Amino acid sequence: MNIVIKNATIVDASNEFHQKQVDIKIENGVITEIAPEINHGDFDTLFLENLHISGGWMDASVSFGEPGFEDRETIDNGLTTAAKSGFTHIAYQPNTSPVIDNQSVVSFVQSKATHHATSLHPIGAFTKNQEGNDLSEMFDMQNAGSIAFGDYKKSITNANLLKIGLQYVQDFNGTVIAFCNDATIKGKGVVHEGIVSTKLGLKGIPPLAEEVVLARNLFLLEYTGGKMHIPTISTAQSVAMIKEAKAKGLNVTCSVAVHNLVLTDEVLSNFDTRFKVNPPLRNAFHQQALINGVLDGTIDVITSDHCAIDIEHKKMEFDMAKDGTIGLESAFGALLEILPLNIVIEKLQAAKHLFLKESNGIKVGQKADLTLFDPSKKWTFTKNDILSKSKNTAFLNHPMKGVVYGIYHNNKLIIK
């Protein structure tokens, strides 16, 4: 597709045109010219109000359901939703049926994503069927296109298995994703353990459930070497431990979910299961520590942790409802309410560097991998803004700042 994007302000601190308004010419998916004004000739043109452009964003944790749970979300509609939400890449979690634990399922989900503007990158399960007993076929999956290996929302209880896995993946430069949650400490807890859980009479999940497993995993990483990514941390002590591990030189990165940054357990007063997530929404003390961790660079990535859940498993008693919220559509607008634009863009792009080893530059000669947005518009997220098949959003009726127009990627322009 040949197009000239007009009057776009580039948001890219490494770019000579950073914070400058320019035209961008794209021919057959490649940026061929950037200038204050470009004669578009017979090219199509795109004008959008207060248009800003950054390198494309990547969501490091997305769950649709297909194969096996298409009633929650399909790959086709999910990738369209991701594109209209500003994401040119997504990391696709293995909690499908069958589980993404072998080369054939990796190839299947990739085939379903063909011809979409947003690229899908499978995460292979760390253990067979995500059961925590035997290592999966990680080498074969990486050759087929998996970008990392982890059991979604499941800690590896067998420390020796995690040790062996960390040693094994070093032969092919693989990354282990190690979710941290001690099920025995969590017990029957469903929300953060604290004042709110006591008032509501709900069983609490202490921060210790996350922190004790994180401490063990960091000790294992120090022993084995290799690369480890800790997804969706939620406590102040987790931030401190990862900061210390990085200072020691360990090759560890981490992410935080948008909802854990923006919301606290105070929203649980009406027992609304839209707010039941894993890890749980914590109190303001932990929320501020997470924000500080983003600002000082301890937290590498912000993810929507988009998890589609059908209404039958959400509209029920709080104790029985499944964990998870969709978040692609609301991620950008929610983040700009609490963080500066440059930080939001940096953290939404960071997963591309970590998992794909790709730069985010907007330069002549590079393939166009762009997100288009207006960072200033104020609005409220309503049911009409939900593009996902599932409607389990924690951000319904939440105030937003900044709207996403769409993306240009894989030689396709997708505008909402």
mmCIF file of all heavy atoms in Angstrom, residues 58 89 121 147 351-358:
data_model
loop_
_atom_site.group_PDB
_atom_site.id
_atom_site.type_symbol
_atom_site.label_atom_id
_atom_site.label_comp_id
_atom_site.label_asym_id
_atom_site.label_seq_id
_atom_site.Cartn_x
_atom_site.Cartn_y
_atom_site.Cartn_z
ATOM 1 N N MET A 58 3.960 -3.334 21.159
ATOM 2 C CA MET A 58 3.806 -4.779 21.317
ATOM 3 C C MET A 58 3.233 -5.076 22.691
ATOM 4 O O MET A 58 3.727 -4.582 23.700
ATOM 5 C CB MET A 58 5.148 -5.502 21.158
ATOM 6 C CG MET A 58 5.028 -7.018 21.354
ATOM 7 S SD MET A 58 6.572 -7.876 20.986
ATOM 8 C CE MET A 58 6.110 -9.566 21.395
ATOM 9 N N HIS A 89 2.201 -5.780 17.233
ATOM 10 C CA HIS A 89 2.655 -7.123 17.597
ATOM 11 C C HIS A 89 1.976 -7.533 18.899
ATOM 12 O O HIS A 89 1.759 -6.706 19.780
ATOM 13 C CB HIS A 89 4.175 -7.161 17.818
ATOM 14 C CG HIS A 89 4.986 -6.734 16.648
ATOM 15 N ND1 HIS A 89 5.522 -7.626 15.739
ATOM 16 C CD2 HIS A 89 5.377 -5.499 16.239
ATOM 17 C CE1 HIS A 89 6.201 -6.960 14.821
ATOM 18 N NE2 HIS A 89 6.124 -5.666 15.101
ATOM 19 N N HIS A 121 2.901 -13.547 17.833
ATOM 20 C CA HIS A 121 4.117 -14.265 18.198
ATOM 21 C C HIS A 121 3.784 -15.216 19.350
ATOM 22 O O HIS A 121 3.550 -14.769 20.474
ATOM 23 C CB HIS A 121 5.217 -13.292 18.607
ATOM 24 C CG HIS A 121 5.494 -12.236 17.586
ATOM 25 N ND1 HIS A 121 6.317 -12.446 16.497
ATOM 26 C CD2 HIS A 121 5.048 -10.962 17.481
ATOM 27 C CE1 HIS A 121 6.371 -11.343 15.769
ATOM 28 N NE2 HIS A 121 5.614 -10.432 16.347
ATOM 29 N N ILE A 147 8.564 -17.229 20.827
ATOM 30 C CA ILE A 147 9.503 -16.186 21.243
ATOM 31 C C ILE A 147 9.955 -16.354 22.691
ATOM 32 O O ILE A 147 10.915 -15.702 23.122
ATOM 33 C CB ILE A 147 8.896 -14.786 21.052
ATOM 34 C CG1 ILE A 147 7.600 -14.632 21.853
ATOM 35 C CG2 ILE A 147 8.667 -14.501 19.571
ATOM 36 C CD1 ILE A 147 7.062 -13.221 21.894
ATOM 37 N N ALA A 351 8.652 -4.547 24.661
ATOM 38 C CA ALA A 351 8.608 -5.993 24.420
ATOM 39 C C ALA A 351 9.165 -6.352 23.044
ATOM 40 O O ALA A 351 9.685 -7.462 22.858
ATOM 41 C CB ALA A 351 7.173 -6.513 24.559
ATOM 42 N N LYS A 352 9.087 -5.437 22.089
ATOM 43 C CA LYS A 352 9.661 -5.707 20.760
ATOM 44 C C LYS A 352 11.162 -5.917 20.851
ATOM 45 O O LYS A 352 11.728 -6.811 20.201
ATOM 46 C CB LYS A 352 9.352 -4.556 19.800
ATOM 47 C CG LYS A 352 7.943 -4.560 19.256
ATOM 48 C CD LYS A 352 7.606 -3.264 18.539
ATOM 49 C CE LYS A 352 8.502 -2.968 17.380
ATOM 50 N NZ LYS A 352 8.122 -1.737 16.679
ATOM 51 N N HIS A 353 11.811 -5.099 21.661
ATOM 52 C CA HIS A 353 13.259 -5.233 21.819
ATOM 53 C C HIS A 353 13.594 -6.498 22.612
ATOM 54 O O HIS A 353 14.516 -7.237 22.258
ATOM 55 C CB HIS A 353 13.829 -4.008 22.523
ATOM 56 C CG HIS A 353 15.285 -4.118 22.846
ATOM 57 N ND1 HIS A 353 16.270 -4.100 21.871
ATOM 58 C CD2 HIS A 353 15.932 -4.284 24.030
ATOM 59 C CE1 HIS A 353 17.456 -4.244 22.440
ATOM 60 N NE2 HIS A 353 17.282 -4.358 23.751
ATOM 61 N N LEU A 354 12.837 -6.768 23.667
ATOM 62 C CA LEU A 354 13.148 -7.906 24.525
ATOM 63 C C LEU A 354 12.928 -9.239 23.834
ATOM 64 O O LEU A 354 13.745 -10.161 23.937
ATOM 65 C CB LEU A 354 12.292 -7.850 25.793
ATOM 66 C CG LEU A 354 12.588 -6.722 26.781
ATOM 67 C CD1 LEU A 354 11.667 -6.823 27.982
ATOM 68 C CD2 LEU A 354 14.035 -6.768 27.226
ATOM 69 N N PHE A 355 11.813 -9.372 23.131
ATOM 70 C CA PHE A 355 11.421 -10.667 22.591
ATOM 71 C C PHE A 355 11.693 -10.823 21.096
ATOM 72 O O PHE A 355 11.879 -11.937 20.611
ATOM 73 C CB PHE A 355 9.936 -10.929 22.870
ATOM 74 C CG PHE A 355 9.606 -11.048 24.323
ATOM 75 C CD1 PHE A 355 8.842 -10.081 24.963
ATOM 76 C CD2 PHE A 355 10.064 -12.114 25.071
ATOM 77 C CE1 PHE A 355 8.537 -10.178 26.309
ATOM 78 C CE2 PHE A 355 9.767 -12.235 26.427
ATOM 79 C CZ PHE A 355 9.005 -11.261 27.046
ATOM 80 N N LEU A 356 11.678 -9.720 20.368
ATOM 81 C CA LEU A 356 11.860 -9.799 18.911
ATOM 82 C C LEU A 356 13.200 -9.263 18.460
ATOM 83 O O LEU A 356 13.576 -9.441 17.293
ATOM 84 C CB LEU A 356 10.746 -9.023 18.195
ATOM 85 C CG LEU A 356 9.305 -9.357 18.565
ATOM 86 C CD1 LEU A 356 8.341 -8.531 17.727
ATOM 87 C CD2 LEU A 356 9.021 -10.848 18.405
ATOM 88 N N LYS A 357 13.899 -8.568 19.353
ATOM 89 C CA LYS A 357 15.180 -7.930 19.026
ATOM 90 C C LYS A 357 15.031 -6.945 17.878
ATOM 91 O O LYS A 357 15.903 -6.797 17.030
ATOM 92 C CB LYS A 357 16.243 -8.990 18.683
ATOM 93 C CG LYS A 357 16.440 -10.029 19.775
ATOM 94 C CD LYS A 357 16.954 -9.397 21.052
ATOM 95 C CE LYS A 357 17.255 -10.426 22.141
ATOM 96 N NZ LYS A 357 16.073 -10.897 22.840
ATOM 97 N N GLU A 358 13.901 -6.250 17.850
ATOM 98 C CA GLU A 358 13.632 -5.264 16.803
ATOM 99 C C GLU A 358 13.694 -3.861 17.380
ATOM 100 O O GLU A 358 13.305 -3.633 18.526
ATOM 101 C CB GLU A 358 12.254 -5.502 16.171
ATOM 102 C CG GLU A 358 12.156 -6.784 15.360
ATOM 103 C CD GLU A 358 10.818 -6.898 14.656
ATOM 104 O OE1 GLU A 358 10.018 -5.937 14.727
ATOM 105 O OE2 GLU A 358 10.585 -7.947 14.031
#
